[in-house]
Amino acid sequence: MRTANSVFSALGTTVFTVMSALAAEHDAINLGQGFPDDEGPDDVRAAAARAILDGPNQYPPMMGVPALRQAVAAANRRFYGLDVDWQKEVMVTSGATEALNDCLTALLNPGDEAIIFEPAYDSYRPVIEAAGAKVVAVPLEPPHWSLPLEKLEAAFSDRTKLVVINTPMNPIGKVFTREELETLAGLIERHDAYAVCDEVYEHLVFSGHTHVPLMTLPGMRERCLRIGSAGKTFSLTGWKIGYVTGPAHLMEVVAKTHQFVTFTTPPGLQSAVAYGLGKDDDYFAGLASSLEAKRDLLAKGLREAGFGVLPADGTYFISADFRPLGFNGTDDEFCREITVKAKVAAIPLSAFYSSPDAPRHLARFCFCKQDAILNEASARLKGYAEGRKE
């Protein structure tokens, strides 16, 4: 029989599925997958319940319910000073992953090149390659995850169609600096390229850092598609509500891809997210400070267990170097070992790379969990580390 799509046929079971299954098998605390273990704000969930009961519950407009599109435009103005036409420049999607698929599919043609930064969220590469385009990966440099400007410039060519930039960045918690973004913007403009901006963690920024959307920089307003996520902003990852902001000439094409993927998104949940985006500043500041405290709690536990802890200035994730524990195997071997022996699951960071030169000494831990869970995980890891010394 004829083969199926070569890109997706070649994909194996994701490391998240493998590690989650291993965690369940060994009754381990799962700090691998990135989702909170609470249920999100009471008032936002109550708004969804009212909207579902009151209706309508039939197809909403393809671009999204007006209230949410207006709320997204207002949030762009409120937080970043972006003046957005909600009717032509905002679209709602069934999650940010759908938004990424829509944007990449809309922009890429076979033979194009797309630059990504590694370690990278795992959906970028297959979607780009399925569109017939080539991925050009620029690795960031640990432990501070600096952007190597010479490698970045060398990655651009006359075939570069777009750059995918994720800030704050999963899996490493990097927040790109204004200086790095300005350099990137200059290269995008020079090469007449676009940017798909994965900014789902935009409100999860710590340590005095500031999230700067690339779209706000000179020359970028007409070249950027900016993606947000209610799942991350309201700790409601199961709702799968994403939104795209971009110039009208690009949004017209992105909308055409969206109509053949999901077409619409549940209207009651859209209405609730519209309500949530109007919450006062205390909510958004409180979300960041709460997660920063959890980051600090897990970082402290990891250090006390003997790990080298890398900086994480945003997102749900922190990376740790396990070499100080005396473990000389790969990151995949380490993550399997602690799942079985310490009863704590993490993700090997090399899973977010395509290059065989990926670092093999780092593990990613998720900290958006209850404090008691983080403390117990830290205690288990400390016990494991002390056992290795015996």
Side-chain angles (χ1 to χ4, degrees):
M1 295 178 68
R2 293 179 183 271
T3 58
N5 179 275
S6 60
V7 173
F8 294 110
S9 296
L11 294 177
T13 304
T14 70
V15 69
F16 309 103
T17 300
V18 171
M19 295 310 301
S20 290
L22 193 64
E25 179 184 349
H26 293 277
D27 196 25
I29 295 173
N30 190 350
L31 299 187
Q33 284 195 301
F35 56 86
D37 57 2
D38 61 30
E39 291 302 326
D42 291 345
D43 57 344
V44 178
R45 290 187 291 125
R50 288 193 301 272
I52 291 170
L53 289 173
D54 293 344
N57 287 291
Q58 308 309 324
Y59 290 130
M62 185 193 74
M63 295 292 287
V65 300
L68 180 51
R69 292 157 66 201
Q70 290 165 1
V72 171
N76 273 289
R77 188 177 306 109
R78 171 185 175 187
F79 293 110
Y80 311 117
L82 284 167
D83 188 17
V84 173
D85 181 344
W86 71 268
Q87 296 187 77
K88 297 179 179 180
E89 298 186 314
V90 177
M91 185 182 77
V92 180
T93 61
S94 293
T97 302
E98 190 226 321
L100 284 162
N101 182 86
D102 294 346
C103 292
L104 294 170
T105 302
L107 292 179
L108 290 170
N109 287 310
D112 288 339
E113 292 182 355
I115 295 171
I116 67 172
F117 301 103
E118 289 188 336
Y121 181 58
D122 62 347
S123 82
Y124 302 157
R125 176 176 288 274
V127 174
I128 291 167
E129 292 180 342
K134 177 185 176 182
V135 173
V136 179
V138 176
L140 303 184
E141 297 176 345
H144 298 289
W145 303 113
S146 55
L147 177 61
L149 299 183
E150 289 183 2
K151 291 181 180 178
L152 174 63
E153 187 166 1
F156 278 84
S157 75
D158 58 3
R159 295 179 298 280
T160 302
K161 174 65 74 67
L162 61 85
V163 179
V164 181
I165 179 167
N166 177 205
T167 184
M169 188 175 179
N170 173 14
I172 52 176
K174 174 184 173 63
V175 177
F176 281 78
T177 67
R178 179 176 288 275
E179 291 73 21
E180 289 172 329
L181 294 173
E182 287 173 346
T183 299
L184 180 59
L187 289 167
I188 288 170
E189 197 163 27
R190 186 192 312 170
H191 291 272
D192 190 24
Y194 299 105
V196 174
C197 305
D198 180 351
E199 301 181 20
V200 299
Y201 296 98
E202 60 186 317
H203 295 295
L204 282 59
V205 180
F206 321 134
S207 307
H209 289 262
T210 301
H211 171 60
V212 179
L214 184 66
M215 186 181 279
T216 63
L217 299 187
M220 291 296 102
R221 178 67 173 80
E222 297 301 307
R223 294 183 178 274
C224 291
L225 292 167
R226 195 175 94 78
I227 297 169
S229 168
K232 304 303 188 295
T233 299
F234 301 107
S235 303
L236 295 164
T237 58
W239 281 20
K240 299 300 293 177
I241 306 290
Y243 21 86
V244 185
T245 302
H249 71 280
L250 294 182
M251 292 304 299
E252 288 179 5
V253 187
V254 175
K256 291 176 183 177
T257 63
H258 167 67
Q259 71 179 331
F260 296 125
V261 178
T262 62
F263 185 72
T264 58
T265 297
L269 301 185
Q270 290 193 55
S271 296
V273 173
Y275 162 83
L277 287 174
K279 287 168 75 71
D280 61 28
D281 290 350
D282 289 345
Y283 169 76
F284 297 94
L287 174 69
S289 63
S290 171
L291 284 163
E292 182 171 358
K294 291 180 182 296
R295 178 206 63 179
D296 293 345
L297 182 64
L298 183 57
K300 178 175 181 289
L302 291 170
R303 289 191 185 97
E304 290 177 350
F307 288 86
V309 179
L310 280 66
D313 298 320
T315 75
Y316 289 156
F317 308 109
I318 192 165
S319 299
D321 185 344
F322 52 79
R323 291 176 299 183
L325 303 183
F327 189 93
N328 296 316
T330 67
D331 54 348
D332 184 74
E333 292 167 341
F334 177 77
C335 288
R336 289 175 181 273
E337 173 154 320
I338 61 171
T339 303
V340 174
K341 294 184 177 180
K343 309 291 187 191
V344 178
I347 298 293
L349 202 69
S350 63
F352 298 92
Y353 286 82
S354 58
S355 168
D357 298 326
R360 299 282 177 174
H361 60 280
L362 300 172
R364 187 197 78 169
F365 294 86
C366 174
F367 54 77
C368 58
K369 307 295 181 182
Q370 299 294 327
D371 290 359
I373 297 294
L374 298 176
N375 285 329
E376 176 61 21
S378 296
R380 293 182 185 188
L381 290 167
K382 185 175 182 181
Y384 161 81
E386 290 173 347
R388 288 186 58 82
K389 299 175 183 177
E390 297 176 355

